[in-house]
Amino acid sequence: MTLTPEIPRVRLEPAEFPVNRGGLCAKGFTAADLLDHPDRLLTPLVRKEPGNRESPLREASWEEAYERIVTAIRDSQERFGRDSVGCFGGGGLTNEKAYALGKFVRVALRSSAIDYNGRFCMSSAATAANRALGIDRGLPFPLADVAEAKTVMLVGANPADAMPPSMQYLDAGRANGAKHIVIDPRRTNTANGAHMHLAPLPGTDLALANGMLHIAIREGWIDEAFIADRTEGFAAVRTTTNAYWPERVERMTGVPEAQLREAVRLLATEGPSMILTARGAEQHSNGTDTAQAWLNLALALGLVGRPFSGYGTITGQGNGQGGREHGQKADQLPGYRRLDDPAARAHVAGVWGIDPDELPQPGRSAYEMINALGSDGGVRVLWILASNIVVSAPHSSHVVNQLNMTDFLVVSDIFPSETAQLADVVLPTAQWAEEEGTMTNLEGRVIRRRMALPPPPMVKSDLTVLTELAGLLGRGEFFTDEPEAVFEELRRASAGGIADYAGISYERIEAEQGVFWPCPDERHPGTRRLFADGFPTASGRARFVRVDHRDPAEVPDDSFPYVLTTGRNMQQYQSGTQTRRVRALNVALPEPRAEIHPDLARRHGIADGDMVELRSRRGAATLRARLSDGIRPDTVFAPFHWPGANLLTNPALDPHSKMPAFKVCAIALCKAEEGSS
């Protein structure tokens, strides 16, 4: 079965869109190659022998697929209760689909069991921002403001590879004399263009931030007036930083005292200044506290709420911002409301036309849900949308085992991903060019996604599937698959919430090239910049929170003497379900490579291009070596876009955000035997 032969060429309209200004990364300008890819899922698939996942998948009608799904849902809920059925969503879903999915679980399934892959991406930064600032919006200012800052500190961020269109703003700043400081255990492409590169031991960023704050206090660089007028809680933080004198921080992090001092001097005295964090600082078992430490530094220096200045976090997925605002999270209702807040429950239930008591209480976070699959009180029937957790979740062999514990597994995807290959039913879904909707970018700007061509005849939008399944479950009157109608309901549901979309419409988005939330009514211009006049906290002040360094959940020892850290390559994206199928990207980077310092490689007889085996307490992976003096000699880097790296990673969770510790685990390595793969 093939797609229509006339696939339109990709054209950017408008070419001068104010965020990317017509720029695309390699993944963006090759995305159209996937529309008619031969691996594309074009019909539902079901097991030839129902209940036997060893039997092959075969093509099926939608009616047959739905019948199997609905039967599994009803049987499980009758035997084990409503929470035995759940959904796992994705940060790539449009706002409309993310909203509808959260509503589907709570209204159609009447279950508490929902979370999504953004738990593995943005949750630590989001938790810290909510705690300190009262709101979680990745950048509280337009991306263009970055070009006007005179000092920018990037902590665990590599936008040159992970978000290339954003580099135009960093490049413009440097051209105007700005100084950039990159904090990363690797000398990345972003670090290559920076004024300074600090290479701490992975897992010590919190100590680094506290050490910089110690220096700022000692040197008199903190903004005492800002602290007194606009914040609370600084006294406890000041006391804590007494323990982070420069010599001690150098021993903890490996960053020389002179670099520490110069970095904080630039932030404090050569402004306006920004601190931008990303996954390198956040994907840790103490990721929330680490993000908080950088927030504490930004607040103490008086950076927040001033022009071309402040703290922000760089969002990872296509709709990483919008995907975490409207109900995919286990504890969340639309508008970034809390599911355990009686007023929030009453408001959203009123919009949905149900009794507030019908709404479930908060459920388990993503990895906690995975850990409980198939157990008493756990999910037994799971529907996964827009996520390939077999590749993207930590300790992936355990994830496979847990998925195999379910009684029934449904996966919606574009391609037969590693996760889809384990499913009882696989549902084909529309791609980006085949659907209407909205997304919210890292600035909090709500933008449109327009349909360029219809999906193939047997492929449906997730909105349609959610609506049709809700109908078969007897709850169809609460749902529609018309994107604009869903968005209009989202506006009402979010009204008065932290992420307030009430004043945003499709028409305004088109006319204004996106609208920034919060936007409480149609006369409101949208909020391009936050915090100029106050903070949405109970006191109206930003909150300092005392945080202390603690060692990673797993540290090197004699058996596993090195640190593995994982991350992104420019040519691939997320679990690689899509990008590993693009020929041009695979020519540029056909396989994952373990980045190893030459000194470490010599110690183990490894040459550039050799196959190396990396082992952790959870598993082993074999990758080709790439020798680089741009990485610490005690650290190995591996990309997570292929199966392999996450066989090794540690699923220890941050106690606040429930983020797994992707960025630090202890490993051993050796040259692999000939023929290993």
Side-chain angles (χ1 to χ4, degrees):
M1 188 173 184
T2 60
L3 295 175
T4 159
E6 295 299 323
I7 299 295
R9 299 181 69 179
V10 174
R11 183 175 66 252
L12 284 178
E13 294 181 351
E16 284 301 310
F17 190 75
V19 183
N20 63 333
R21 295 174 176 171
L24 289 175
C25 68
K27 298 177 282 288
F29 65 67
T30 58
D33 293 358
L34 299 170
L35 293 171
D36 60 349
H37 194 281
D39 288 351
R40 179 80 188 270
L41 291 170
L42 298 173
T43 68
L45 304 176
V46 301
R47 293 292 170 185
K48 186 175 180 180
E49 299 175 27
N52 179 9
R53 292 180 188 162
E54 297 298 318
S55 71
L57 289 163
R58 63 164 175 82
E59 293 186 359
S61 67
W62 280 95
E63 291 75 16
E64 182 180 9
Y66 282 163
E67 190 276 331
R68 291 197 186 190
I69 294 169
V70 171
T71 298
I73 290 171
R74 286 178 171 155
D75 287 351
S76 188
Q77 291 191 325
E78 286 176 7
R79 294 179 61 199
F80 303 108
R82 288 174 176 167
D83 288 350
S84 69
V85 180
C87 291
F88 193 105
L93 297 176
T94 62
N95 290 324
E96 291 80 0
K97 292 194 289 187
Y99 170 85
L101 179 60
K103 180 181 176 182
F104 175 85
V105 172
R106 296 175 178 112
V107 175
L109 297 179
R110 289 176 272 193
S111 170
S112 69
I114 180 173
D115 214 78
Y116 81 125
N117 64 12
R119 184 71 67 174
F120 302 157
C121 186
M122 294 296 303
S123 59
S124 290
T127 304
N130 280 319
R131 189 167 69 178
L133 307 174
I135 194 169
D136 160 36
R137 202 178 87 181
L139 295 184
F141 40 72
L143 187 59
D145 282 10
V146 174
E148 305 301 324
K150 294 304 180 186
T151 301
V152 180
M153 179 175 283
L154 295 142
V155 186
N158 182 20
D161 285 355
M163 196 179 288
S166 70
M167 287 300 294
Q168 61 189 295
Y169 299 107
L170 290 164
D171 293 343
R174 281 201 308 272
N176 289 327
K179 294 177 179 176
H180 296 164
I181 305 159
V182 171
I183 298 175
D184 198 300
R186 303 165 60 220
R187 190 174 64 239
T188 61
N189 286 328
T190 305
N192 283 334
H195 175 70
M196 291 183 70
H197 173 218
L198 282 58
L201 178 69
T204 63
D205 290 338
L206 191 159
L208 193 68
N210 278 0
M212 289 186 184
L213 183 50
H214 176 102
I215 292 170
I217 293 169
R218 194 168 71 182
E219 298 295 332
W221 290 333
I222 61 173
D223 190 329
E224 298 278 9
F226 179 90
I227 292 168
D229 294 343
R230 303 200 59 193
T231 73
E232 57 192 10
F234 181 63
V237 170
R238 183 195 287 267
T239 300
T240 298
T241 60
N242 288 338
Y244 292 85
W245 61 91
E247 298 86 349
R248 179 183 180 228
V249 172
E250 179 175 345
R251 291 195 301 272
M252 296 169 74
T253 66
V255 175
E257 179 183 345
Q259 285 192 341
L260 280 171
R261 187 179 304 278
E262 177 63 7
V264 72
R265 185 194 70 78
L266 289 172
L267 276 177
T269 66
E270 297 195 16
S273 300
M274 292 180 178
I275 299 174
L276 304 177
T277 65
R279 305 305 80 71
E282 301 155 10
Q283 287 180 320
H284 296 272
S285 59
N286 66 343
T288 299
D289 286 352
T290 300
Q292 181 69 57
W294 295 107
L295 269 161
N296 287 343
L297 178 62
L299 290 170
L301 296 176
L303 306 184
V304 180
R306 290 177 168 164
F308 314 123
S309 175
Y311 167 87
T313 183
I314 301 172
T315 300
Q317 299 189 69
N319 196 29
Q321 182 67 53
R324 67 180 188 266
E325 295 169 356
H326 297 299
Q328 281 195 98
K329 292 168 72 174
D331 57 354
Q332 186 191 73
L333 288 170
Y336 227 122
R337 287 182 162 90
R338 291 185 59 88
L339 184 54
D340 60 3
D341 175 10
R345 293 168 67 86
H347 172 82
V348 174
V351 173
W352 288 351
I354 63 173
D355 189 294
D357 290 339
E358 291 184 56
L359 288 171
Q361 292 297 318
R364 293 182 171 99
S365 69
Y367 208 82
E368 292 172 320
M369 182 196 295
I370 292 169
N371 267 339
L373 290 175
S375 67
D376 290 343
V379 169
R380 293 172 175 269
V381 174
L382 179 65
W383 182 11
I384 300 175
L385 300 90
S387 293
N388 184 14
I389 59 175
V390 165
V391 176
S392 65
H395 194 187
S396 53
S397 60
H398 174 67
V399 173
V400 171
N401 290 338
Q402 291 304 108
L403 290 173
N404 286 331
M405 293 290 288
T406 59
D407 296 333
F408 198 83
L409 178 64
V410 184
V411 174
S412 292
D413 212 323
I414 301 164
F415 295 108
S417 68
E418 288 81 358
T419 305
Q421 290 167 24
L422 303 179
D424 295 279
V425 173
V426 181
L427 302 178
T429 189
Q431 292 199 53
W432 56 274
E434 300 164 351
E435 62 182 5
E436 296 281 340
T438 62
M439 305 180 84
T440 305
N441 76 352
L442 76 167
E443 312 163 300
R445 186 195 305 254
V446 185
I447 58 178
R448 286 276 281 119
R449 171 180 279 183
R450 300 186 192 91
M451 179 186 287
L453 73 165
M458 286 283 285
V459 173
K460 298 186 179 189
S461 163
D462 293 323
L463 277 181
T464 297
V465 177
L466 287 163
T467 300
E468 291 178 347
L469 279 174
L472 293 170
L473 293 167
R475 305 287 275 181
E477 70 270 25
F478 299 104
F479 293 86
T480 176
D481 65 352
E482 208 289 308
E484 189 168 6
V486 175
F487 188 79
E488 289 298 307
E489 184 179 293
L490 182 158
R491 292 174 64 186
R492 298 193 302 275
S494 72
I498 294 172
D500 191 336
Y501 283 36
I504 305 175
S505 65
Y506 275 26
E507 291 75 20
R508 280 195 68 180
I509 295 169
E510 295 280 4
E512 300 173 30
Q513 294 191 320
V515 181
F516 291 81
W517 70 259
C519 183
D521 60 66
E522 292 184 355
R523 296 178 301 279
H524 192 282
T527 310
R528 296 174 66 84
R529 295 176 179 85
L530 298 169
F531 314 132
D533 302 316
F535 297 91
T537 60
S539 65
R541 293 169 173 261
R543 303 183 188 104
F544 284 94
V545 178
R546 173 179 176 168
V547 290
D548 259 314
H549 169 79
R550 68 176 191 274
D551 285 339
E554 187 172 86
V555 296
D557 58 18
D558 290 343
S559 299
F560 299 95
Y562 310 114
V563 174
L564 175 73
T565 192
T566 65
R568 303 170 189 262
N569 292 138
M570 179 186 289
Q571 294 82 4
Q572 301 291 336
Y573 181 69
Q574 300 296 80
S575 69
T577 303
Q578 297 179 56
T579 52
R580 285 188 275 126
R581 290 179 162 85
V582 176
R583 182 179 180 277
L585 300 178
N586 284 328
V587 168
L589 188 68
E591 61 183 353
R593 295 210 167 202
E595 193 169 309
I596 304 171
H597 193 279
D599 291 349
L600 177 57
R602 274 193 296 273
R603 214 173 304 156
H604 293 274
I606 295 166
D608 191 69
D610 283 350
M611 301 303 293
V612 295
E613 182 184 78
L614 309 179
R615 288 182 291 108
S616 77
R617 290 176 173 85
R618 288 155 296 281
T622 302
L623 292 81
R624 195 172 302 280
R626 176 182 177 270
L627 303 193
S628 169
D629 63 3
I631 191 168
R632 290 175 57 100
D634 53 7
T635 301
V636 176
F637 169 83
F640 57 69
H641 311 296
W642 290 263
N646 277 324
L647 289 167
L648 312 175
T649 47
N650 187 354
L653 301 182
D654 180 290
H656 307 291
S657 67
K658 309 302 181 182
M659 165 78 82
F662 288 101
K663 287 296 188 269
V664 178
C665 74
I667 61 163
L669 80 160
C670 62
K671 185 174 179 179
E673 298 290 334
E674 285 297 323
S676 297
S677 60

